[in-house]
Amino acid sequence: MSAAAVFGASGGIGQALAAGLAASGRYDRVYAGARRAQANTFTFDLEDEASIAAAITAMPEIPETWIVASGLLHDTSRAISPEKSLSAMDGATMARVLAVNAIGPALIAKHLLKRLPRDRRSVFAVLSARVGSIGDNRLGGWHAYRASKAALNMLMVNFAIEMRRTHSQAIIVALHPGTVESDLSAPFRGAVPESRLFSPEISAAHLLQVIDGLTPADSGGFFAWDGARIPW
Ligand SMILES: NC(=O)c1ccc[n+]([C@@H]2O[C@H](COP(=O)([O-])OP(=O)(O)OC[C@H]3O[C@@H](n4cnc5c(N)ncnc54)[C@H](OP(=O)(O)O)[C@@H]3O)[C@@H](O)[C@H]2O)c1
């Protein structure tokens, strides 16, 4: 018997990941989590640690595969949009983007990782973004989002190192889903050629294939949708 869980299952990619996991035939149960209650979902808010702890504690089992598919790039209702320049930076916006993209997933890890099985393979994968790679940054801009994903990537390396001591079969990774048609990318994909734009379903299928192929030696890595390593 096996199970998987997705945090952020209301999002474009998260929804497709939950559906893909369920359709894969590899899991007996798939737990889908969202900020607002929907049919068959657990609820959590990345900016509310107690809700994260409660969601994990309330699960009838600890699945061996976990994907964090939440994230924040823009939010017009709060005047959040990616900065093109130094002068566009705003402290409250930066704090919120860091809270959702880096601190929230870290708090999921805090309440989950030590509960993963020690006697078999387990996976904790977070959706990061190639633009969070420090080594790959040639364009600049998007200060808060890039910094939040770079912070997330660093946290995954840290957690992989810590987990190796007690959970030698645990795999902790950051994944880049490609450029995907979703609310998050909608205002920014004008210049992206059709051939490099994935539907959420195609991206999810790629990501699940990458996850299936991971081994404990990959823990701490940052991988793109095609399985290629991305520099930190
Ligand atoms: N789309 C792309 O081209 C692309 C490229 C690179 C990386 N990514 C990364 O892939 C991930 C998924 O992106 P997406 O395209 O699927 O975006 P999306 O459709 O906008 O989904 C974002 C998800 O994050 C959730 N979320 C935001 N704030 C939250 C909070 N405080 N608590 C709980 N959940 C919260 C949203 O929940 P609500 O529905 O409640 O708002 C939604 O489920 C993100 O980490 C993104 O950075 C995407």
Side-chain angles (χ1 to χ4, degrees):
M1 301 295 266
S2 65
V6 178
F7 278 86
S10 59
I13 304 171
Q15 216 169 350
L17 282 166
L21 285 162
S24 71
R26 293 176 66 99
Y27 299 96
D28 300 304
R29 289 165 302 285
V30 176
Y31 299 91
R35 185 156 42 163
R36 282 173 281 274
Q38 302 170 322
N40 302 319
T41 56
F42 64 87
T43 56
F44 72 102
D45 189 321
L46 289 166
E47 295 177 89
D48 175 3
E49 181 176 353
S51 77
I52 293 170
I56 294 169
T57 307
M59 285 205 177
E61 63 187 319
I62 293 295
E64 68 272 11
T65 297
W66 293 76
I67 307 176
V68 180
S70 47
L72 173 64
L73 174 60
H74 63 90
D75 182 349
T76 40
S77 71
R78 293 171 192 254
I80 294 177
S81 61
E83 315 87 346
K84 290 184 180 146
S85 64
L86 285 164
S87 60
M89 281 193 298
D90 169 74
T93 294
M94 295 184 86
R96 192 170 161 81
V97 171
L98 276 155
V100 173
N101 289 346
I103 299 169
L107 293 173
I108 296 174
K110 170 185 169 182
H111 290 282
L112 167 70
L113 291 185
K114 294 291 177 175
R115 304 168 83 156
L116 289 175
R118 289 172 188 249
D119 60 344
R120 59 188 191 280
R121 180 184 183 274
S122 61
V123 176
F124 180 72
V126 298
L127 295 196
S128 182
R130 191 186 293 276
V131 297
S133 164
I134 293 173
D136 196 47
N137 184 1
R138 281 176 289 272
L139 286 177
W142 292 23
H143 302 308
Y145 185 73
R146 279 185 191 271
S148 69
K149 294 296 190 179
L152 175 66
N153 294 348
M154 174 63 90
L155 288 162
M156 292 306 115
V157 175
N158 267 7
F159 299 159
I161 291 169
E162 185 169 336
M163 284 291 284
R164 222 167 270 148
R165 298 180 197 133
T166 53
H167 294 67
S168 60
Q169 298 188 63
I171 302 165
I172 322 287
V173 290
L175 301 176
H176 168 63
T179 304
V180 184
E181 291 170 318
S182 70
D183 290 348
L184 182 139
S185 67
F188 311 104
R189 50 178 196 248
V192 180
E194 198 69 17
S195 59
R196 288 185 42 212
L197 192 58
F198 294 145
S199 68
E201 292 72 25
I202 292 290
S203 172
H206 283 301
L207 293 170
L208 294 180
Q209 202 173 358
V210 172
I211 288 172
D212 280 350
L214 293 170
T215 72
D218 296 317
S219 195
F222 182 19
F223 297 93
W225 56 272
D226 58 358
R229 268 187 192 269
I230 300 174
W232 290 116

